[in-house]
Amino acid sequence: MFSKATLKERRQYYREEWSTKDLPDFILKDLKKREFGFDHNGKGPNDRYKVFRGRESLKKFLRYKAPFAAYISVAFYNNPRRREDWQKAEYIFDVDAKDIPIRTCQCDGVCEVCLGQALEIVNSLIDTLQDDLGLNNIHLVYSGRGYHIRILDEEMMTSGSELRSEVLKYVAGAEVPKSNFFNPDISNKSFNFEHFSIPVGYSKIFTDKLKYNIQHLVGNEELDEINPKLMKDIIKYRHHLDNDNWGYFKRDIGPRRYKNLTEAMARVNLSTIDAKVSIDLKRILRLPSSLHSKVSMKCMEVKNRETFDPLQEAVPKFVEERGE
C-alpha cells in the first residue's frame, strides 16, 4: 500500500472502477465553469485549462488518458478555458498527513497513524468553522495523503484574500492571545468583513490546540525556540495538563520559556494547514473520485467524518489484487 500506481493500474481504475456517480454534487454543479488540469507523467499538472461540458465528456477523457493525477479549480469562471471573468472560489483548508509538524508516528511518508491524526485535525477545524463562524456548506475530501476541507458558503466564496487570511488565523489558532490568562469563553467582540463576523476572543481555540500539540510531542521534533532542554521539560511536566492545571505547568516551565513555547506553537498551528492554498483564489485541487497515483489511493468525498477509514474505503481494487 502507498506505492506508485503503474499505467496499467491507472487504466484499470478508470475503465473498471471509476464512475461518474462518484463525483460529488458540489463538483457536478456548474461543472462547465471550472478549469480542469491533469498530470500525465507524474511531474505535476502540465495539461491545464481543460473544460468539460458534462460528466460524460469527462468520463471519456479519463478512460482514454488514465492520467497520473486529475485536478479541478476551486474557482468558477465565465471563461474557465482562459481563467477569465472570475466569479467566486471555494475556501479551502489543506491538511497533508506527511506535513503535520508534530506527528505521533515516525514514518517518512504517510501511514495509518498520521492519516488518523490528520482526520483528528480536520474534524477540529470543521467544528470551529461550524460552531464559531456559522459556516455550514462544508465538504470534506480525502485527498490520498491527507484531507481538503472545501467550503462553499457564499460569504466565503465571494470573499477576497484578506478575509480568508483572517479566518485561517482564527480557525488555526495561529496567534497567541494577548491575555496572559486563557479565557475558555468566546468573546462577543468581532471583526466585521462585508457582513461576516469573526470572533476576537479565541483563547479557547488556542488553548485547546496548545494542549493537543504538547500532548502529542514525542521529543525529537525540531521546532523554533524549543531547544532540547525545554523539550525535555515540556514532556516532563505536561502531566499537569491532564487536569488543565496550566498554572502549575507554566510555573514548572518558567514564564520566559512558556512564552517561547506559546509563540512556537502558534507557528506550528499555522503550518499544520497549507496557508497558500487557503488564500489562493485560483487554486486547482485533486478531483474527488480521481486516483492519487503516487500512493495508489482514491481521492474521495468523506460522507461520515466520524467513522471514515481511508484504508478501508479509499483503496482501489488493483491494490487489493497486488496482495499487499
PDB file of all heavy atoms in Angstrom, residues 263-296:
ATOM      1  N   GLU A 263       4.592  30.931  21.508  1.00  0.00           N
ATOM      2  CA  GLU A 263       4.882  31.549  20.216  1.00  0.00           C
ATOM      3  C   GLU A 263       5.264  30.495  19.182  1.00  0.00           C
ATOM      4  O   GLU A 263       4.860  30.580  18.016  1.00  0.00           O
ATOM      5  CB  GLU A 263       5.993  32.581  20.370  1.00  0.00           C
ATOM      6  CG  GLU A 263       5.552  33.810  21.161  1.00  0.00           C
ATOM      7  CD  GLU A 263       6.693  34.768  21.447  1.00  0.00           C
ATOM      8  OE1 GLU A 263       7.862  34.382  21.197  1.00  0.00           O
ATOM      9  OE2 GLU A 263       6.421  35.890  21.922  1.00  0.00           O
ATOM     10  N   ALA A 264       6.028  29.492  19.607  1.00  0.00           N
ATOM     11  CA  ALA A 264       6.399  28.418  18.688  1.00  0.00           C
ATOM     12  C   ALA A 264       5.177  27.616  18.268  1.00  0.00           C
ATOM     13  O   ALA A 264       5.029  27.232  17.098  1.00  0.00           O
ATOM     14  CB  ALA A 264       7.436  27.503  19.343  1.00  0.00           C
ATOM     15  N   MET A 265       4.264  27.382  19.207  1.00  0.00           N
ATOM     16  CA  MET A 265       3.088  26.575  18.898  1.00  0.00           C
ATOM     17  C   MET A 265       2.105  27.315  17.991  1.00  0.00           C
ATOM     18  O   MET A 265       1.370  26.696  17.227  1.00  0.00           O
ATOM     19  CB  MET A 265       2.398  26.130  20.183  1.00  0.00           C
ATOM     20  CG  MET A 265       3.172  25.066  20.948  1.00  0.00           C
ATOM     21  SD  MET A 265       3.571  23.625  19.910  1.00  0.00           S
ATOM     22  CE  MET A 265       4.558  22.655  21.053  1.00  0.00           C
ATOM     23  N   ALA A 266       2.076  28.643  18.074  1.00  0.00           N
ATOM     24  CA  ALA A 266       1.238  29.412  17.142  1.00  0.00           C
ATOM     25  C   ALA A 266       1.715  29.182  15.710  1.00  0.00           C
ATOM     26  O   ALA A 266       0.906  29.023  14.787  1.00  0.00           O
ATOM     27  CB  ALA A 266       1.279  30.892  17.502  1.00  0.00           C
ATOM     28  N   ARG A 267       3.039  29.136  15.526  1.00  0.00           N
ATOM     29  CA  ARG A 267       3.578  28.868  14.188  1.00  0.00           C
ATOM     30  C   ARG A 267       3.314  27.428  13.765  1.00  0.00           C
ATOM     31  O   ARG A 267       3.052  27.144  12.594  1.00  0.00           O
ATOM     32  CB  ARG A 267       5.071  29.183  14.160  1.00  0.00           C
ATOM     33  CG  ARG A 267       5.371  30.675  14.224  1.00  0.00           C
ATOM     34  CD  ARG A 267       6.834  30.958  13.963  1.00  0.00           C
ATOM     35  NE  ARG A 267       7.673  30.513  15.063  1.00  0.00           N
ATOM     36  CZ  ARG A 267       7.942  31.246  16.135  1.00  0.00           C
ATOM     37  NH1 ARG A 267       7.433  32.462  16.258  1.00  0.00           N
ATOM     38  NH2 ARG A 267       8.716  30.791  17.094  1.00  0.00           N
ATOM     39  N   VAL A 268       3.384  26.506  14.723  1.00  0.00           N
ATOM     40  CA  VAL A 268       3.060  25.115  14.430  1.00  0.00           C
ATOM     41  C   VAL A 268       1.611  24.994  13.968  1.00  0.00           C
ATOM     42  O   VAL A 268       1.309  24.306  12.991  1.00  0.00           O
ATOM     43  CB  VAL A 268       3.301  24.219  15.667  1.00  0.00           C
ATOM     44  CG1 VAL A 268       2.657  22.853  15.485  1.00  0.00           C
ATOM     45  CG2 VAL A 268       4.796  24.062  15.924  1.00  0.00           C
ATOM     46  N   ASN A 269       0.710  25.670  14.660  1.00  0.00           N
ATOM     47  CA  ASN A 269      -0.702  25.618  14.302  1.00  0.00           C
ATOM     48  C   ASN A 269      -0.932  26.079  12.864  1.00  0.00           C
ATOM     49  O   ASN A 269      -1.704  25.470  12.114  1.00  0.00           O
ATOM     50  CB  ASN A 269      -1.527  26.486  15.250  1.00  0.00           C
ATOM     51  CG  ASN A 269      -1.608  25.917  16.649  1.00  0.00           C
ATOM     52  OD1 ASN A 269      -1.328  24.740  16.871  1.00  0.00           O
ATOM     53  ND2 ASN A 269      -1.973  26.750  17.612  1.00  0.00           N
ATOM     54  N   LEU A 270      -0.271  27.167  12.492  1.00  0.00           N
ATOM     55  CA  LEU A 270      -0.445  27.687  11.138  1.00  0.00           C
ATOM     56  C   LEU A 270       0.166  26.750  10.097  1.00  0.00           C
ATOM     57  O   LEU A 270      -0.415  26.532   9.030  1.00  0.00           O
ATOM     58  CB  LEU A 270       0.182  29.074  11.021  1.00  0.00           C
ATOM     59  CG  LEU A 270      -0.007  29.784   9.666  1.00  0.00           C
ATOM     60  CD1 LEU A 270      -1.490  29.966   9.362  1.00  0.00           C
ATOM     61  CD2 LEU A 270       0.709  31.123   9.653  1.00  0.00           C
ATOM     62  N   SER A 271       1.320  26.159  10.426  1.00  0.00           N
ATOM     63  CA  SER A 271       1.996  25.297   9.453  1.00  0.00           C
ATOM     64  C   SER A 271       1.302  23.952   9.276  1.00  0.00           C
ATOM     65  O   SER A 271       1.608  23.213   8.338  1.00  0.00           O
ATOM     66  CB  SER A 271       3.456  25.073   9.881  1.00  0.00           C
ATOM     67  OG  SER A 271       3.530  24.333  11.091  1.00  0.00           O
ATOM     68  N   THR A 272       0.369  23.629  10.168  1.00  0.00           N
ATOM     69  CA  THR A 272      -0.398  22.394  10.010  1.00  0.00           C
ATOM     70  C   THR A 272      -1.287  22.463   8.771  1.00  0.00           C
ATOM     71  O   THR A 272      -1.617  21.441   8.169  1.00  0.00           O
ATOM     72  CB  THR A 272      -1.265  22.149  11.262  1.00  0.00           C
ATOM     73  OG1 THR A 272      -0.398  22.053  12.402  1.00  0.00           O
ATOM     74  CG2 THR A 272      -2.067  20.860  11.145  1.00  0.00           C
ATOM     75  N   ILE A 273      -1.669  23.682   8.387  1.00  0.00           N
ATOM     76  CA  ILE A 273      -2.508  23.928   7.221  1.00  0.00           C
ATOM     77  C   ILE A 273      -1.655  24.591   6.144  1.00  0.00           C
ATOM     78  O   ILE A 273      -0.814  25.443   6.448  1.00  0.00           O
ATOM     79  CB  ILE A 273      -3.689  24.846   7.593  1.00  0.00           C
ATOM     80  CG1 ILE A 273      -4.494  24.240   8.738  1.00  0.00           C
ATOM     81  CG2 ILE A 273      -4.581  25.119   6.391  1.00  0.00           C
ATOM     82  CD1 ILE A 273      -5.437  25.214   9.406  1.00  0.00           C
ATOM     83  N   ASP A 274      -1.870  24.223   4.887  1.00  0.00           N
ATOM     84  CA  ASP A 274      -1.152  24.864   3.783  1.00  0.00           C
ATOM     85  C   ASP A 274      -1.812  26.222   3.527  1.00  0.00           C
ATOM     86  O   ASP A 274      -2.833  26.310   2.833  1.00  0.00           O
ATOM     87  CB  ASP A 274      -1.205  23.990   2.531  1.00  0.00           C
ATOM     88  CG  ASP A 274      -0.260  24.484   1.441  1.00  0.00           C
ATOM     89  OD1 ASP A 274       0.041  25.697   1.420  1.00  0.00           O
ATOM     90  OD2 ASP A 274       0.170  23.666   0.604  1.00  0.00           O
ATOM     91  N   ALA A 275      -1.236  27.274   4.102  1.00  0.00           N
ATOM     92  CA  ALA A 275      -1.859  28.599   4.048  1.00  0.00           C
ATOM     93  C   ALA A 275      -1.974  29.120   2.622  1.00  0.00           C
ATOM     94  O   ALA A 275      -2.928  29.840   2.300  1.00  0.00           O
ATOM     95  CB  ALA A 275      -1.057  29.581   4.913  1.00  0.00           C
ATOM     96  N   LYS A 276      -1.040  28.769   1.761  1.00  0.00           N
ATOM     97  CA  LYS A 276      -1.082  29.256   0.375  1.00  0.00           C
ATOM     98  C   LYS A 276      -2.353  28.786  -0.323  1.00  0.00           C
ATOM     99  O   LYS A 276      -2.940  29.513  -1.129  1.00  0.00           O
ATOM    100  CB  LYS A 276       0.157  28.776  -0.396  1.00  0.00           C
ATOM    101  CG  LYS A 276       1.485  29.278   0.151  1.00  0.00           C
ATOM    102  CD  LYS A 276       2.632  28.922  -0.768  1.00  0.00           C
ATOM    103  CE  LYS A 276       2.809  27.417  -0.932  1.00  0.00           C
ATOM    104  NZ  LYS A 276       3.175  26.769   0.335  1.00  0.00           N
ATOM    105  N   VAL A 277      -2.773  27.575  -0.017  1.00  0.00           N
ATOM    106  CA  VAL A 277      -3.985  27.035  -0.635  1.00  0.00           C
ATOM    107  C   VAL A 277      -5.212  27.796  -0.152  1.00  0.00           C
ATOM    108  O   VAL A 277      -6.136  28.077  -0.923  1.00  0.00           O
ATOM    109  CB  VAL A 277      -4.127  25.533  -0.327  1.00  0.00           C
ATOM    110  CG1 VAL A 277      -5.442  24.975  -0.860  1.00  0.00           C
ATOM    111  CG2 VAL A 277      -2.950  24.753  -0.928  1.00  0.00           C
ATOM    112  N   SER A 278      -5.236  28.152   1.140  1.00  0.00           N
ATOM    113  CA  SER A 278      -6.408  28.801   1.729  1.00  0.00           C
ATOM    114  C   SER A 278      -6.680  30.178   1.138  1.00  0.00           C
ATOM    115  O   SER A 278      -7.841  30.578   0.993  1.00  0.00           O
ATOM    116  CB  SER A 278      -6.253  28.908   3.246  1.00  0.00           C
ATOM    117  OG  SER A 278      -6.221  27.634   3.844  1.00  0.00           O
ATOM    118  N   ILE A 279      -5.637  30.921   0.805  1.00  0.00           N
ATOM    119  CA  ILE A 279      -5.845  32.287   0.327  1.00  0.00           C
ATOM    120  C   ILE A 279      -5.790  32.402  -1.192  1.00  0.00           C
ATOM    121  O   ILE A 279      -6.053  33.472  -1.742  1.00  0.00           O
ATOM    122  CB  ILE A 279      -4.820  33.253   0.961  1.00  0.00           C
ATOM    123  CG1 ILE A 279      -3.388  32.887   0.544  1.00  0.00           C
ATOM    124  CG2 ILE A 279      -4.959  33.275   2.476  1.00  0.00           C
ATOM    125  CD1 ILE A 279      -2.345  33.877   1.044  1.00  0.00           C
ATOM    126  N   ASP A 280      -5.488  31.306  -1.882  1.00  0.00           N
ATOM    127  CA  ASP A 280      -5.388  31.320  -3.342  1.00  0.00           C
ATOM    128  C   ASP A 280      -6.780  31.261  -3.956  1.00  0.00           C
ATOM    129  O   ASP A 280      -7.536  30.315  -3.722  1.00  0.00           O
ATOM    130  CB  ASP A 280      -4.547  30.131  -3.805  1.00  0.00           C
ATOM    131  CG  ASP A 280      -4.134  30.242  -5.264  1.00  0.00           C
ATOM    132  OD1 ASP A 280      -4.775  31.003  -6.010  1.00  0.00           O
ATOM    133  OD2 ASP A 280      -3.180  29.551  -5.670  1.00  0.00           O
ATOM    134  N   LEU A 281      -7.123  32.228  -4.773  1.00  0.00           N
ATOM    135  CA  LEU A 281      -8.449  32.307  -5.382  1.00  0.00           C
ATOM    136  C   LEU A 281      -8.549  31.547  -6.699  1.00  0.00           C
ATOM    137  O   LEU A 281      -9.632  31.458  -7.275  1.00  0.00           O
ATOM    138  CB  LEU A 281      -8.828  33.775  -5.617  1.00  0.00           C
ATOM    139  CG  LEU A 281      -8.857  34.661  -4.377  1.00  0.00           C
ATOM    140  CD1 LEU A 281      -9.170  36.103  -4.769  1.00  0.00           C
ATOM    141  CD2 LEU A 281      -9.866  34.158  -3.362  1.00  0.00           C
ATOM    142  N   LYS A 282      -7.428  31.004  -7.177  1.00  0.00           N
ATOM    143  CA  LYS A 282      -7.432  30.319  -8.471  1.00  0.00           C
ATOM    144  C   LYS A 282      -6.747  28.952  -8.395  1.00  0.00           C
ATOM    145  O   LYS A 282      -6.237  28.438  -9.393  1.00  0.00           O
ATOM    146  CB  LYS A 282      -6.758  31.181  -9.542  1.00  0.00           C
ATOM    147  CG  LYS A 282      -7.501  32.471  -9.838  1.00  0.00           C
ATOM    148  CD  LYS A 282      -6.895  33.223 -11.009  1.00  0.00           C
ATOM    149  CE  LYS A 282      -7.716  34.459 -11.368  1.00  0.00           C
ATOM    150  NZ  LYS A 282      -7.166  35.181 -12.537  1.00  0.00           N
ATOM    151  N   ARG A 283      -6.756  28.363  -7.232  1.00  0.00           N
ATOM    152  CA  ARG A 283      -6.071  27.087  -6.997  1.00  0.00           C
ATOM    153  C   ARG A 283      -6.771  25.946  -7.732  1.00  0.00           C
ATOM    154  O   ARG A 283      -7.975  25.988  -7.978  1.00  0.00           O
ATOM    155  CB  ARG A 283      -6.083  26.777  -5.506  1.00  0.00           C
ATOM    156  CG  ARG A 283      -5.058  25.744  -5.066  1.00  0.00           C
ATOM    157  CD  ARG A 283      -3.701  26.377  -5.016  1.00  0.00           C
ATOM    158  NE  ARG A 283      -2.699  25.486  -4.464  1.00  0.00           N
ATOM    159  CZ  ARG A 283      -1.461  25.884  -4.165  1.00  0.00           C
ATOM    160  NH1 ARG A 283      -1.101  27.130  -4.349  1.00  0.00           N
ATOM    161  NH2 ARG A 283      -0.586  25.035  -3.678  1.00  0.00           N
ATOM    162  N   ILE A 284      -6.021  24.920  -8.076  1.00  0.00           N
ATOM    163  CA  ILE A 284      -6.620  23.661  -8.514  1.00  0.00           C
ATOM    164  C   ILE A 284      -6.294  22.596  -7.472  1.00  0.00           C
ATOM    165  O   ILE A 284      -5.205  22.576  -6.907  1.00  0.00           O
ATOM    166  CB  ILE A 284      -6.139  23.215  -9.912  1.00  0.00           C
ATOM    167  CG1 ILE A 284      -4.622  23.061  -9.978  1.00  0.00           C
ATOM    168  CG2 ILE A 284      -6.631  24.179 -10.987  1.00  0.00           C
ATOM    169  CD1 ILE A 284      -4.114  22.488 -11.304  1.00  0.00           C
ATOM    170  N   LEU A 285      -7.278  21.732  -7.203  1.00  0.00           N
ATOM    171  CA  LEU A 285      -7.139  20.662  -6.215  1.00  0.00           C
ATOM    172  C   LEU A 285      -7.439  19.329  -6.879  1.00  0.00           C
ATOM    173  O   LEU A 285      -8.084  19.269  -7.936  1.00  0.00           O
ATOM    174  CB  LEU A 285      -8.122  20.856  -5.058  1.00  0.00           C
ATOM    175  CG  LEU A 285      -7.894  21.992  -4.073  1.00  0.00           C
ATOM    176  CD1 LEU A 285      -8.992  21.965  -3.024  1.00  0.00           C
ATOM    177  CD2 LEU A 285      -6.534  21.903  -3.415  1.00  0.00           C
ATOM    178  N   ARG A 286      -7.025  18.258  -6.224  1.00  0.00           N
ATOM    179  CA  ARG A 286      -7.324  16.931  -6.747  1.00  0.00           C
ATOM    180  C   ARG A 286      -8.831  16.749  -6.912  1.00  0.00           C
ATOM    181  O   ARG A 286      -9.616  17.131  -6.046  1.00  0.00           O
ATOM    182  CB  ARG A 286      -6.769  15.851  -5.820  1.00  0.00           C
ATOM    183  CG  ARG A 286      -5.260  15.786  -5.852  1.00  0.00           C
ATOM    184  CD  ARG A 286      -4.709  14.588  -5.110  1.00  0.00           C
ATOM    185  NE  ARG A 286      -3.249  14.646  -5.144  1.00  0.00           N
ATOM    186  CZ  ARG A 286      -2.505  14.191  -6.146  1.00  0.00           C
ATOM    187  NH1 ARG A 286      -3.106  13.607  -7.166  1.00  0.00           N
ATOM    188  NH2 ARG A 286      -1.196  14.284  -6.107  1.00  0.00           N
ATOM    189  N   LEU A 287      -9.196  16.171  -8.011  1.00  0.00           N
ATOM    190  CA  LEU A 287     -10.602  15.923  -8.313  1.00  0.00           C
ATOM    191  C   LEU A 287     -11.114  14.771  -7.463  1.00  0.00           C
ATOM    192  O   LEU A 287     -10.582  13.655  -7.533  1.00  0.00           O
ATOM    193  CB  LEU A 287     -10.757  15.576  -9.795  1.00  0.00           C
ATOM    194  CG  LEU A 287     -12.139  15.126 -10.262  1.00  0.00           C
ATOM    195  CD1 LEU A 287     -13.129  16.278 -10.182  1.00  0.00           C
ATOM    196  CD2 LEU A 287     -12.069  14.551 -11.669  1.00  0.00           C
ATOM    197  N   PRO A 288     -12.134  15.006  -6.622  1.00  0.00           N
ATOM    198  CA  PRO A 288     -12.713  13.891  -5.868  1.00  0.00           C
ATOM    199  C   PRO A 288     -13.192  12.796  -6.805  1.00  0.00           C
ATOM    200  O   PRO A 288     -13.825  13.077  -7.822  1.00  0.00           O
ATOM    201  CB  PRO A 288     -13.888  14.552  -5.137  1.00  0.00           C
ATOM    202  CG  PRO A 288     -13.520  15.989  -5.038  1.00  0.00           C
ATOM    203  CD  PRO A 288     -12.768  16.300  -6.294  1.00  0.00           C
ATOM    204  N   SER A 289     -12.859  11.564  -6.491  1.00  0.00           N
ATOM    205  CA  SER A 289     -13.104  10.345  -7.281  1.00  0.00           C
ATOM    206  C   SER A 289     -11.893   9.956  -8.115  1.00  0.00           C
ATOM    207  O   SER A 289     -11.823   8.827  -8.611  1.00  0.00           O
ATOM    208  CB  SER A 289     -14.331  10.457  -8.202  1.00  0.00           C
ATOM    209  OG  SER A 289     -14.062  11.234  -9.362  1.00  0.00           O
ATOM    210  N   SER A 290     -10.926  10.865  -8.284  1.00  0.00           N
ATOM    211  CA  SER A 290      -9.746  10.550  -9.092  1.00  0.00           C
ATOM    212  C   SER A 290      -8.739   9.740  -8.290  1.00  0.00           C
ATOM    213  O   SER A 290      -8.863   9.568  -7.073  1.00  0.00           O
ATOM    214  CB  SER A 290      -9.089  11.825  -9.619  1.00  0.00           C
ATOM    215  OG  SER A 290      -8.525  12.579  -8.558  1.00  0.00           O
ATOM    216  N   LEU A 291      -7.713   9.254  -8.964  1.00  0.00           N
ATOM    217  CA  LEU A 291      -6.682   8.421  -8.345  1.00  0.00           C
ATOM    218  C   LEU A 291      -5.461   9.259  -7.979  1.00  0.00           C
ATOM    219  O   LEU A 291      -4.967  10.041  -8.800  1.00  0.00           O
ATOM    220  CB  LEU A 291      -6.276   7.311  -9.317  1.00  0.00           C
ATOM    221  CG  LEU A 291      -5.257   6.283  -8.816  1.00  0.00           C
ATOM    222  CD1 LEU A 291      -5.847   5.432  -7.704  1.00  0.00           C
ATOM    223  CD2 LEU A 291      -4.792   5.392  -9.970  1.00  0.00           C
ATOM    224  N   HIS A 292      -5.013   9.127  -6.748  1.00  0.00           N
ATOM    225  CA  HIS A 292      -3.737   9.712  -6.328  1.00  0.00           C
ATOM    226  C   HIS A 292      -2.680   8.650  -6.612  1.00  0.00           C
ATOM    227  O   HIS A 292      -2.444   7.751  -5.804  1.00  0.00           O
ATOM    228  CB  HIS A 292      -3.764  10.076  -4.849  1.00  0.00           C
ATOM    229  CG  HIS A 292      -2.605  10.918  -4.407  1.00  0.00           C
ATOM    230  ND1 HIS A 292      -1.296  10.662  -4.765  1.00  0.00           N
ATOM    231  CD2 HIS A 292      -2.564  12.051  -3.634  1.00  0.00           C
ATOM    232  CE1 HIS A 292      -0.499  11.555  -4.230  1.00  0.00           C
ATOM    233  NE2 HIS A 292      -1.240  12.415  -3.543  1.00  0.00           N
ATOM    234  N   SER A 293      -2.052   8.760  -7.773  1.00  0.00           N
ATOM    235  CA  SER A 293      -1.196   7.677  -8.253  1.00  0.00           C
ATOM    236  C   SER A 293       0.105   7.530  -7.482  1.00  0.00           C
ATOM    237  O   SER A 293       0.716   6.461  -7.500  1.00  0.00           O
ATOM    238  CB  SER A 293      -0.893   7.875  -9.746  1.00  0.00           C
ATOM    239  OG  SER A 293      -2.080   7.790 -10.502  1.00  0.00           O
ATOM    240  N   LYS A 294       0.540   8.568  -6.776  1.00  0.00           N
ATOM    241  CA  LYS A 294       1.783   8.455  -6.012  1.00  0.00           C
ATOM    242  C   LYS A 294       1.643   7.475  -4.859  1.00  0.00           C
ATOM    243  O   LYS A 294       2.629   6.845  -4.451  1.00  0.00           O
ATOM    244  CB  LYS A 294       2.212   9.819  -5.482  1.00  0.00           C
ATOM    245  CG  LYS A 294       2.781  10.747  -6.540  1.00  0.00           C
ATOM    246  CD  LYS A 294       3.311  12.023  -5.921  1.00  0.00           C
ATOM    247  CE  LYS A 294       3.930  12.923  -6.985  1.00  0.00           C
ATOM    248  NZ  LYS A 294       4.449  14.187  -6.406  1.00  0.00           N
ATOM    249  N   VAL A 295       0.425   7.356  -4.337  1.00  0.00           N
ATOM    250  CA  VAL A 295       0.199   6.467  -3.188  1.00  0.00           C
ATOM    251  C   VAL A 295      -0.861   5.407  -3.474  1.00  0.00           C
ATOM    252  O   VAL A 295      -1.228   4.638  -2.578  1.00  0.00           O
ATOM    253  CB  VAL A 295      -0.197   7.274  -1.932  1.00  0.00           C
ATOM    254  CG1 VAL A 295       0.982   8.069  -1.407  1.00  0.00           C
ATOM    255  CG2 VAL A 295      -1.382   8.176  -2.213  1.00  0.00           C
ATOM    256  N   SER A 296      -1.380   5.383  -4.714  1.00  0.00           N
ATOM    257  CA  SER A 296      -2.389   4.390  -5.115  1.00  0.00           C
ATOM    258  C   SER A 296      -3.609   4.404  -4.197  1.00  0.00           C
ATOM    259  O   SER A 296      -4.075   3.368  -3.716  1.00  0.00           O
ATOM    260  CB  SER A 296      -1.783   2.983  -5.151  1.00  0.00           C
ATOM    261  OG  SER A 296      -0.798   2.885  -6.148  1.00  0.00           O
TER     262      SER A 296
END
